[in-house]
Amino acid sequence: MKHKVFIIFSFLIAQSHFVLGQTNTIEQQSYTKVDSLFNSFYQSNKTGAALAIIKNGETTYQNTKGLANIEYQIPITDSTAFHIASVSKQFTTYLALLLEEEGKLSFEDDIRVHLPELNHLTNHISIKNLTNHTHGLPNIHALAHLKGILPQGQLTHKEIVQVLLNVKQTNFGVKDKYEYNNTGYILLAEIIERVGKKPFKEQLQQKIFLPLGMNHSEAIDNINIVVKNKAYSYKLISDKYENFPLKLSAIGSSGINTTIHDLSLWAKNYQNPIVGSREFYDKMEQVTYLNSGKKIDYGLGQQFGVYKGLDIVFHGGGDVGYRSYLLHIPKHQLSIIILANTNDFSALDVVYQTIDVLLKDYIKVKTLKKLKLSNKQLKKYEGTYEFQPGNYFNIIAEKDTLYFQPYGTINKNPLPSLNENTFEFPYIPHAKFVFYEDRFDFNIADFTYECFKTNIQQPNQNEMSLEDFTGVFRNKEHNITYELVVVDNKLNVKRAFNDNHILNALSIKSFYSSEFGKIDFIYDSNELVTGFRLSGQNFKNIVFKK
C-alpha cells in the first residue's frame, strides 16, 4: 500500500514539469506558445517526452509530460534516462576528434591499420569514411536479420563487433555512394577502444560526460543492464501498449542513455565549447563529396541543411519506441532538444513547430504553387523503380493523377502533387517523392532513398523448372543456411528461425521477395545452379553456395 501511495503522489506532482529561464515579456509569450504546443502533443497518462530549449548558453525552457513507465504509471521527469539511438553518433565522433588531437589516431587512417581482422578488404576505408557513411560496409541490422537474430534474438556489443569483423566484402566502392547505416560507428567505437586502451564507455565518461557534468549519462553495451530512472519503450497496438524492447546493444552508433538535463549540457558545449573546441564542430559540419562530385549534407556525425531560410545543424535518433532529436540554429545561438518514448513522428513535429514559434520573424516560407498536371505531363514519371533490391514500385499516371503501386499488387494509391516534380506520399508522415530523370528520391523525414527506374520482364513461372533452384545453400562468412523448396508451384526460401518467404521470378535467373531481398543465381559451365547472391537493404551480393 505504501508503494502504491508513493506512485500516486509522484504521479500527481510530476505530471508536467515546466521550467522557464529568465526571459523578457515577448520571449515569455513565445515560450507560452511552445508550452501549449508541447502539451497538445503529449498526454499525462500515455507515453511522452522531455523538451528543452537552450538560448545563448542558458536553458530558457524545459518541460516534461507523459509516462516513462506505463505499468507502474511513473512520470517522465528531467532525471528520466532515454535511449537516444543515433544522436549517440556525434559523441563518438567527438571522442575520436579528442583522440586525434592527442595523436592516437587520424581521421585519414585506413581502418585496417587498427582492425587487422579486415585486412582482406580491398578498399581503403578511412575513419572519415566510417563517420560520413561512405564506407560501403553492410549494415549490422541487415546482417542480424539475415542471421535470424532479429527480430526475436539479442546481441551484445562484443557479439556485434565479431559479426562485423567477419564481413568479407562491401556493398559499393568508397565514396561511390552515401548510405546511412550503423556499422561504421560501431567499428569506430572498437577503434577507439584499441587506440585508447580502455573500454569505449569509460573513455566517453572520462573525456566528455564527467568534464561537462553529464552525471546521468552512460553508454550501454548490454541491453540487460539495469538503467536507473529509465524510460521504457512501447508500441501501441489496437489502443493497448506493448513492450517494445531493444534487441541490439550497439555502442558507437547508438547505446547512450541520457537525460534532458544532461543533453542540455551537451548542447551548451556546442554553443560555447568547454570540452574540445569550435574547430571540432567545424570539422563535423564539413560537406561530404562523393566520387561523382555529388554533395551530401552529412558531415561527421552531424547533418545540416536549411529550414525555411534558416541554416540548421541536427541529428535524430530512433530505435524501437525511442525518439530523440537535437537541433542547432547557430546564427541565433539556439538549440532544441527532445527525448521521447512515443514510437511516432511527434518529436520531429514538436522541434520544427517550435522553430516556427520562436523564430517566426526570421523564417522565410516559399509558397508552392500547386499545379494541375495533365496526364501528358505525368507520363514521364511512369515506370517501375527499385527502392531496394527485392523491393519495387510502379508509378502510374491515370486521369491527371499520379499513383504509387507496390510491384506485383493491384492496389493504386494517389500521390497529391506539391509542384511539377514533387508529390506527397501521405501514407507515411513527412514523406514525399521528388522525381528526376530516370529516378525519384523517396524522402522520409531526414532520410533520402534513391529509387532508380528499372526494366523488369518477368518470365512465366509456370514454364520454369523451379526444382532446378531448390537445395540447401550456406553462406560461410556469416554462418547462415537457407533452404529453397517448391511449395504449391512457387519457390520458397525456408529459414529455420522464421516463416517461409515466397520468391517471385524477376528473370529466368533472378527471384525476389519484398520481405527478403533479391536472389541472383550462380551457374556452373553445365548451367547447373551452384549458389546465389543475395542483396537487399544495406547489403549487396552476399554469396551462398549450394
Side-chain angles (χ1 to χ4, degrees):
M1 182 67 182
K2 182 179 179 182
H3 180 60
K4 185 176 180 181
V5 170
F6 173 76
I7 292 172
I8 294 171
F9 179 72
S10 299
F11 181 71
L12 290 173
I13 65 172
Q15 291 282 315
S16 181
H17 183 62
F18 171 40
V19 175
L20 189 62
Q22 292 184 348
T23 57
N24 60 40
T25 304
I26 296 175
E27 286 178 329
Q28 285 179 354
Q29 291 174 354
S30 294
Y31 285 120
T32 299
K33 291 179 181 178
V34 170
D35 199 48
S36 297
L37 169 69
F38 182 73
N39 286 314
S40 71
F41 275 91
Y42 303 109
Q43 299 177 38
S44 301
N45 61 343
K46 296 183 177 181
T47 54
L51 175 68
I53 298 169
I54 292 86
K55 174 75 172 171
N56 296 322
E58 299 293 334
T59 300
T60 53
Y61 177 90
Q62 185 176 289
N63 202 354
T64 62
K65 195 167 187 180
L67 297 175
N69 181 286
I70 299 290
E71 185 177 5
Y72 294 105
Q73 297 286 288
I74 299 172
I76 294 168
T77 70
D78 62 356
S79 60
T80 299
F82 288 85
H83 171 83
I84 62 171
S86 288
V87 173
S88 304
K89 289 179 171 67
Q90 59 196 271
F91 288 93
T92 306
T93 301
Y94 212 77
L95 182 53
L97 287 167
L98 287 168
L99 291 171
E100 183 178 53
E101 189 175 59
E102 295 173 12
K104 293 180 179 178
L105 59 77
S106 167
F107 271 68
E108 301 307 320
D109 285 347
D110 186 325
I111 65 170
R112 293 171 295 188
V113 172
H114 304 292
L115 304 171
E117 297 93 331
L118 296 176
N119 277 339
H120 55 269
L121 295 179
T122 57
N123 294 344
H124 177 113
I125 299 172
S126 69
I127 289 177
K128 186 175 183 179
N129 298 138
L130 294 182
T131 53
N132 64 19
H133 305 290
T134 59
H135 49 77
L137 294 162
N139 193 17
I140 180 58
H141 287 77
L143 296 178
H145 273 283
L146 290 178
K147 287 171 69 66
I149 296 163
L150 293 180
Q152 301 302 327
Q154 297 180 359
L155 280 178
T156 66
H157 177 70
K158 288 298 181 185
E159 290 170 333
I160 289 169
V161 170
Q162 285 307 307
V163 170
L164 295 178
L165 292 179
N166 283 327
V167 168
K168 297 293 188 288
Q169 63 188 39
T170 58
N171 295 340
F172 52 84
V174 174
K175 293 176 66 176
D176 282 349
K177 285 181 65 178
Y178 164 85
E179 190 170 81
Y180 183 93
N181 76 25
N182 291 314
T183 292
Y185 280 86
I186 295 167
L187 292 178
L188 179 53
E190 179 66 15
I191 291 171
I192 287 171
E193 287 206 354
R194 295 185 184 190
V195 302
K197 302 187 186 309
K198 288 182 181 178
F200 172 83
K201 57 185 181 181
E202 284 187 24
Q203 295 185 62
L204 203 56
Q205 284 284 345
Q206 293 169 5
K207 294 180 182 294
I208 296 179
F209 292 161
L210 293 179
L212 290 177
M214 297 174 66
N215 299 321
H216 304 287
S217 302
E218 59 182 330
I220 304 297
D221 58 3
N222 186 331
I223 56 175
N224 295 314
I225 292 174
V226 174
V227 177
K228 186 179 179 181
N229 296 326
K230 169 184 171 181
Y232 286 78
S233 168
Y234 301 97
K235 56 184 174 182
L236 197 59
I237 305 293
S238 301
D239 295 325
K240 296 285 186 182
Y241 282 107
E242 294 183 8
N243 290 310
F244 196 14
L246 292 163
K247 298 295 185 180
L248 300 185
S249 302
I251 56 175
S253 63
S254 187
I256 289 178
N257 280 247
T258 189
T259 66
I260 194 69
H261 173 267
D262 277 16
L263 202 53
S264 296
L265 296 174
W266 175 244
K268 290 174 184 179
N269 194 68
Y270 178 88
Q271 295 184 4
N272 301 294
I274 297 171
V275 173
S277 66
R278 174 51 50 196
E279 286 71 27
F280 282 18
Y281 292 111
D282 291 341
K283 287 181 181 180
M284 293 169 71
E285 293 167 26
Q286 289 177 1
V287 170
T288 294
Y289 287 97
L290 302 182
N291 293 327
S292 63
K294 183 178 179 179
K295 173 185 168 186
I296 305 296
D297 290 334
Y298 193 105
L300 311 178
Q302 291 280 34
Q303 290 180 259
F304 29 86
V306 178
Y307 174 73
K308 296 184 178 180
L310 299 168
D311 291 327
I312 59 174
V313 179
F314 59 94
H315 210 293
D319 197 355
V320 289
Y322 296 109
R323 298 292 182 268
S324 57
Y325 213 82
L326 172 53
L327 179 143
H328 307 287
I329 307 176
K331 184 177 178 180
H332 295 273
Q333 280 281 288
L334 179 69
S335 301
I336 303 169
I337 309 164
I338 194 163
L339 304 174
N341 63 342
T342 51
N343 190 31
D344 59 21
F345 285 87
S346 61
L348 196 70
D349 292 323
V350 169
V351 168
Y352 285 95
Q353 289 183 39
T354 295
I355 296 174
D356 294 342
V357 171
L358 296 181
L359 298 178
K360 61 183 177 61
D361 294 333
Y362 300 94
I363 61 177
K364 300 173 183 177
V365 182
K366 288 184 179 180
T367 303
L368 292 176
K369 185 178 180 181
K370 287 196 175 184
L371 302 174
K372 181 64 177 176
L373 301 174
S374 67
N375 222 54
K376 183 178 179 181
Q377 292 172 298
L378 296 172
K379 280 287 183 182
K380 61 184 175 183
Y381 303 132
E382 278 196 322
T384 300
Y385 295 79
E386 182 182 79
F387 172 58
Q388 298 287 349
N391 208 322
Y392 307 94
F393 303 149
N394 289 329
I395 299 297
I396 302 165
E398 284 183 2
K399 298 179 180 179
D400 299 337
T401 301
L402 203 64
Y403 291 90
F404 160 85
Q405 180 185 63
Y407 189 79
T409 72
I410 61 173
N411 300 319
K412 292 185 298 184
N413 306 285
L415 300 171
S417 64
L418 298 175
N419 61 28
E420 187 176 355
N421 74 325
T422 305
F423 296 79
E424 182 185 1
F425 189 75
Y427 315 103
I428 300 176
H430 303 284
K432 62 184 178 182
F433 290 176
V434 184
F435 284 87
Y436 304 94
E437 186 176 357
D438 294 329
R439 85 165 210 269
F440 69 83
D441 286 350
F442 188 1
N443 296 317
I444 306 174
D446 298 332
F447 294 94
T448 298
Y449 303 93
E450 290 184 316
C451 304
F452 289 92
K453 190 174 283 189
T454 186
N455 183 27
I456 298 175
Q457 300 290 333
Q458 283 190 289
N460 185 343
Q461 288 189 204
N462 294 325
E463 298 176 359
M464 299 175 70
S465 177
L466 297 181
E467 294 292 340
D468 294 345
F469 304 107
T470 62
V472 177
F473 298 81
R474 182 171 181 264
N475 171 261
K476 186 177 179 181
E477 176 185 354
H478 299 293
N479 192 26
I480 306 170
T481 300
Y482 296 146
E483 184 179 6
L484 299 190
V485 297
V486 176
V487 179
D488 296 331
N489 204 33
K490 287 188 178 294
L491 190 63
N492 282 240
V493 57
K494 186 178 180 181
R495 307 191 286 182
F497 48 81
N498 213 330
D499 296 333
N500 292 7
H501 290 289
I502 295 174
L503 298 173
N504 298 296
L506 274 177
S507 69
I508 59 172
K509 295 183 178 181
S510 297
F511 286 73
Y512 81 97
S513 162
S514 60
E515 295 89 12
F516 183 67
K518 178 189 175 189
I519 283 179
D520 295 303
F521 283 97
I522 302 169
Y523 295 79
D524 64 13
S525 58
N526 296 316
E527 286 298 300
L528 296 175
V529 171
T530 60
F532 62 77
R533 292 184 179 88
L534 177 63
S535 301
Q537 184 171 0
N538 261 302
F539 64 93
K540 303 289 188 297
N541 296 320
I542 295 180
V543 176
F544 287 75
K545 292 184 178 180
K546 193 168 183 179

